[in-house]
Amino acid sequence: MSPILFSIYVDDLIGELRNSGYGIYIGRLFVGCILYADDILLLSYCSCYGLQSMLNVCVEFGSKWDILFKSAKTQCVTFGGNSPKRFSLAIGAKQLSCCTKLKYLGCIFLDGSCEIDISPSVGKLYAKFNNIMAVLGKYNNEMAAVHLTNSYCLPSLVYACEIWSLRKSSAHSVRVALNNSFRSIFNCCWQENPKVCCFIVEPCQFCTQLTSVVYCSTRS
């Protein structure tokens, strides 16, 4: 019940941000703010002034409805170009600092390119795989190990892969992680390639334009 009530609670904020005249539009569709639970993502196309105006709307809405936007938990990142040097964003009187990475819904976006940092996902795959192999022991059933790897390790690695925009080196690290796992299961030599799968990653066209993003959190 709480998520539904909170959605109703902040629904007017979306309307106020839309009516501000700032933010990103796809055709006539306003996509200047993306909300999931109590996380708010503000997007502004090539306009720090517009982004600051949207922040001011959030602060005014918070003052009216007793919602506190914490500057310490707010991140600012620029995609498609360099971070502005002569303009600083603020929540109230507290300035925001620009960051090089933005974590949103479990995905880590790198500034500038908007590529995904998949190193944490690769680390999770190795950690889960090592746990599986430790439980199965030295004389494990190969097909059981394959099934457990596909069921518990692979989802951690390919989480949100639909939005991946990767360098060739990052895509290579994904293939290496999978190949190493299955080499370990079947006791293959490192020169042998099990050819588990092949990923085709298309670039995220939406993020090739200069876009400034602010990620706000109301969590205490």
Side-chain angles (χ1 to χ4, degrees):
M1 195 65 184
S2 296
I4 297 176
L5 293 176
F6 185 80
S7 298
I8 297 173
Y9 191 49
V10 299
D11 188 62
D12 289 341
L13 176 60
I14 301 175
E16 293 188 18
L17 289 169
R18 183 190 298 113
N19 295 334
S20 69
Y22 300 103
I24 291 179
Y25 284 82
I26 299 179
R28 296 183 179 181
L29 178 65
F30 175 72
V31 291
C33 65
I34 301 174
L35 283 77
Y36 185 85
D38 58 349
D39 292 333
I40 302 175
L41 192 68
L42 301 180
L43 300 98
S44 179
Y45 180 75
C46 296
S47 174
C48 291
Y49 177 80
L51 195 56
Q52 181 61 63
S53 298
M54 296 174 73
L55 282 170
N56 294 339
V57 170
C58 292
V59 172
E60 293 175 4
F61 182 87
S63 299
K64 180 179 179 181
W65 297 104
D66 196 26
I67 298 177
L68 178 62
F69 294 95
K70 294 182 177 295
S71 58
K73 294 188 176 181
T74 300
Q75 298 173 316
C76 178
V77 64
T78 300
F79 297 134
N82 298 322
S83 300
K85 303 297 183 182
R86 299 182 179 180
F87 193 95
S88 58
L89 300 170
I91 292 182
K94 297 181 179 179
Q95 290 189 348
L96 305 178
S97 58
C98 292
C99 60
T100 58
K101 296 181 180 181
L102 171 69
K103 185 175 182 180
Y104 189 67
L105 301 183
C107 297
I108 300 177
F109 299 87
L110 303 178
D111 70 331
S113 63
C114 196
E115 293 176 346
I116 301 294
D117 181 8
I118 55 137
S119 56
S121 298
V122 172
K124 289 180 181 178
L125 179 138
Y126 280 123
K128 291 186 176 183
F129 178 76
N130 290 335
N131 288 337
I132 289 172
M133 298 303 290
V135 171
L136 291 178
K138 183 177 180 180
Y139 302 100
N140 64 79
N141 182 288
E142 292 175 346
M143 295 314 299
V146 169
H147 176 73
L148 291 172
T149 300
N150 287 333
S151 299
Y152 296 102
C153 300
L154 193 59
S156 298
L157 180 65
V158 299
Y159 169 75
C161 63
E162 299 87 350
I163 64 168
W164 278 3
S165 175
L166 303 178
R167 299 184 181 95
K168 288 184 177 180
S169 59
S170 298
H172 176 70
S173 68
V174 171
R175 289 192 291 269
V176 168
L178 284 171
N179 287 339
N180 285 344
S181 299
F182 286 93
R183 284 192 188 102
S184 178
I185 292 174
F186 295 103
N187 293 317
C188 296
C189 173
W190 69 271
Q191 293 177 327
E192 296 176 300
N193 186 1
K195 294 183 179 180
V196 179
C197 60
C198 179
F199 289 91
I200 300 177
V201 181
E202 296 293 337
C204 181
Q205 299 294 337
F206 179 71
C207 297
T208 56
Q209 301 295 329
L210 176 60
T211 304
S212 297
V213 178
V214 166
Y215 167 61
C216 305
S217 176
T218 58
R219 293 175 182 170
S220 57

